[in-house]
Amino acid sequence: MPNLDGGHYFLTMLAPVRTGNMVDTVTGASRSHPHLLRQALALLPAGRQTAASPADAPSSPFARNTLNHLARFVVIDGPAYNGRESSDTLAGLVRSTDPLVAQPVDVLTTPFLLFAADVDAQQLDGPTALRRYTDTLWATMRPELDATFGHCLGFETVTDAAGFNAYVVRCQIETTMPFNDYWADGLVAPAAPLGAVGAVAAVVVAAAVYLAVTRGWPGLALAAGLVALVLYGAWRFIIGWGARPFPTAPDSDLPSVLKALFLQQAFTGFASSAQGLDDAALYAHFGSFLAATQPSAASPALIPGAVAAPQVEWHA
């Protein structure tokens, strides 16, 4: 799958962290960039993500726009160590392999800051979607970007939105397995035109066989070339078809998702309060619920960065 899939853009970037120290101009204290980066991430507001979050908890800076479905920072100090590579015990005895001697392990010359985000990209191509997102981040949360990416190599030259976009592109790696689960009724993937491809392949193979039989060695060489061309074309077709993004799921943009989550929470409360009502009272009660929640309107809706929906009154 590509970075763009299902009407969403999946950004994955690895920014190398500086390994030197930074001196505080006020106190004169010296601390490393990895330490300061972790401190900046620890102080980054996470919003009201659980029911136990304080009501006055500061909102996440990513909630200042309505593009982010998910955003995550991770500091990677080095590759995970999965233990020794296993081998055949008898073969190890023959080779005099000493299990107490450490095997080579992968290391990183510098920590990396991983930033991953899932953002809305309806009706946009990949570069346009990424540029819109980076411009939005630069306009809405530049202080937080400076506090985090400011400890990464190369960010010291970033001074505007265009520079930030170029920096993200330099650090970006392809997202090969995005998570996109907004098809409530399942996605019917478009079928590949295998019939037409098979018919073309059959004609080419038949021509190759004819040349091999009627033209001798020159024909055989030409036939082999045609078969190789068919195999290469089939491989390119399969790779190209697999790289095509899925279509956009209905109502999968963030405002629609926030509205749906709000209605889900509100309807749970309505269902509890409507128990035991007769038909007339239930009808009036539901009409009041619809008037208060306005399912076809953009608001009221769940607030970005918050898990609890705003309270509305619908009692008839």
Side-chain angles (χ1 to χ4, degrees):
M1 294 295 181
N3 296 320
L4 182 69
D5 190 50
H8 291 238
Y9 192 88
F10 299 89
L11 171 63
T12 305
M13 61 177 294
L14 288 172
V17 180
R18 300 185 195 179
T19 55
N21 293 334
M22 186 174 182
V23 179
D24 192 306
T25 56
V26 177
T27 64
S30 176
R31 289 184 291 174
S32 69
H33 284 285
H35 175 81
L36 292 170
L37 172 59
R38 285 182 169 84
Q39 183 179 22
L41 294 177
L43 296 175
L44 199 65
R48 298 178 290 277
Q49 296 184 348
T50 69
S53 300
D56 59 347
S59 180
S60 167
F62 290 100
R64 296 171 192 162
N65 67 78
T66 56
L67 294 178
N68 296 283
H69 287 250
L70 175 145
R72 174 175 297 171
F73 283 112
V74 179
V75 177
I76 302 176
D77 291 302
Y81 177 62
N82 295 319
R84 291 181 62 88
E85 295 183 3
S86 60
S87 60
D88 185 273
T89 303
L90 296 178
L93 290 174
V94 172
R95 297 169 184 164
S96 299
T97 301
D98 187 353
L100 297 181
V101 176
Q103 294 177 336
V105 295
D106 294 326
V107 295
L108 298 177
T109 57
T110 179
F112 281 83
L113 175 62
L114 166 70
F115 177 62
D118 168 7
V119 299
D120 281 334
Q122 280 79 7
Q123 313 304 322
L124 296 176
D125 58 47
T128 303
L130 179 59
R131 181 60 190 267
R132 181 183 69 164
Y133 180 57
T134 57
D135 285 357
T136 300
L137 291 185
W138 188 259
T140 58
M141 54 177 291
R142 180 178 176 180
E144 290 80 8
L145 297 177
D146 289 337
T148 51
F149 288 108
H151 298 289
C152 298
L153 289 170
F155 191 80
E156 60 274 9
T157 62
V158 176
T159 58
D160 54 19
F164 179 59
N165 175 262
Y167 178 77
V168 170
V169 171
R170 288 200 307 271
C171 298
Q172 185 179 13
I173 60 176
E174 184 181 8
T175 303
T176 56
M177 190 174 292
F179 176 78
N180 196 347
D181 191 26
Y182 288 115
W183 287 92
D185 300 322
L187 169 65
V188 180
L194 297 179
V197 174
V200 172
V203 171
V204 174
V205 171
V209 172
Y210 173 79
L211 291 173
V213 173
T214 61
R215 299 299 178 89
W217 286 107
L220 184 60
L222 183 58
L226 287 175
V227 171
L229 183 62
V230 168
L231 293 176
Y232 176 74
W235 176 77
R236 289 297 303 268
F237 173 79
I238 293 172
I239 296 299
W241 189 268
R244 293 172 48 145
F246 285 135
T248 302
D251 300 321
S252 62
D253 59 292
L254 184 62
S256 298
V257 172
L258 293 175
K259 181 67 177 186
L261 293 174
F262 162 75
L263 289 173
Q264 182 186 60
Q265 293 187 30
F267 189 78
T268 300
F270 165 80
S272 298
S273 64
Q275 297 298 311
L277 297 179
D278 58 33
D279 291 349
L282 179 61
Y283 182 84
H285 200 55
F286 188 63
S288 178
F289 170 80
L290 294 179
T293 57
Q294 304 180 54
S296 60
S299 62
L302 197 69
I303 300 173
V307 70
Q311 297 298 314
V312 292
E313 296 292 336
W314 57 77
H315 300 290

